[in-house]
Amino acid sequence: MATRPRKTPSKPQAFPHPHHDHSRCTANALRTAETVCEKHGARLTEIRRRVLEAVWASHAPIGAYDILAELNTDGGKIAPMAVYRALDFLMEHGLVHRLASLNAFIGCALASERHTAHFLICRSCKSATEMDGTAVTRAVKKTLSEHGFVPENEIIEIQGLCAHCHKESA
Ligand SMILES: [Zn+2]
Ligand SMILES: [Zn+2]
Ligand SMILES: [Zn+2]
């Protein structure tokens, strides 16, 4: 059976437009982080907030050492351990996800809801987006239980070309 790509993706808002106003994404993410931390009785300390800001600098996943370099551009002396601890905190509270395939981190746009993360990663513009994985999660759960398999990392990562880059390359 031929599987032709559908003309209009079911979630057209999935990949942000290359020229969108990203300051709104960042502002939203920080607001959500504050709400989530308050709900969990946790504190968004200065370093945690700065790490979250560095992760949200763009929609491209960022590695821990790039975050560290970013935070220390002004000659600061933040230690790698402090960044790792902040990342652990942010992951624990669902504000950031780790993409194993890239060994990098990405901000969560659905941080206020419980969810299993699934990512589409564009190899051209390097941005990654979290897709609505409800149907995928259901199918994966069914398969796992059929095999009696206990998952430890359920994040699904799919690499390819986003709609914007695909259009440009066509
Ligand atoms: Zn954005
Ligand atoms: Zn998420
Ligand atoms: Zn792209």
Side-chain angles (χ1 to χ4, degrees), residues 75-96:
K77 291 264 185 291
I78 295 170
M81 211 47 218
V83 171
Y84 280 118
R85 261 193 240 114
L87 283 168
D88 280 343
F89 171 89
L90 295 170
M91 283 193 287
E92 194 187 314
H93 292 277
L95 299 169
V96 159

Side-chain angles (χ1 to χ4, degrees), residues 51 54-55 61-73 78-84 87 102-105:
V51 168
V55 170
I62 183 170
Y65 272 86
D66 289 329
I67 295 173
L68 184 68
E70 179 67 36
L71 297 189
N72 284 333
T73 38
I78 295 170
M81 211 47 218
V83 171
Y84 280 118
L87 283 168
L102 304 172
N103 191 19
F105 300 86

Side-chain angles (χ1 to χ4, degrees), residues 28-63:
N28 270 338
L30 287 170
R31 220 176 303 125
T32 305
E34 265 156 26
T35 316
V36 167
C37 285
E38 211 178 282
K39 215 165 77 184
H40 295 178
R43 231 159 59 80
L44 191 64
T45 57
E46 169 77 8
I47 177 82
R48 289 167 179 171
R49 164 187 287 273
R50 287 187 62 197
V51 168
L52 185 64
E53 277 171 348
V55 170
W56 271 101
S58 78
H59 291 279
I62 183 170

Side-chain angles (χ1 to χ4, degrees), residues 94-97 106-119 130-131 155:
L95 299 169
V96 159
H97 296 293
I106 180 104
C108 178
L110 311 163
S112 49
E113 307 157 32
R114 243 184 104 84
H115 64 283
T116 314
H118 302 304
F119 285 92
E130 201 165 340
M131 60 176 160
I155 298 183

Side-chain angles (χ1 to χ4, degrees), residues 16 20-22 25 59:
H20 73 289
D21 177 9
H22 185 63
C25 306
H59 291 279

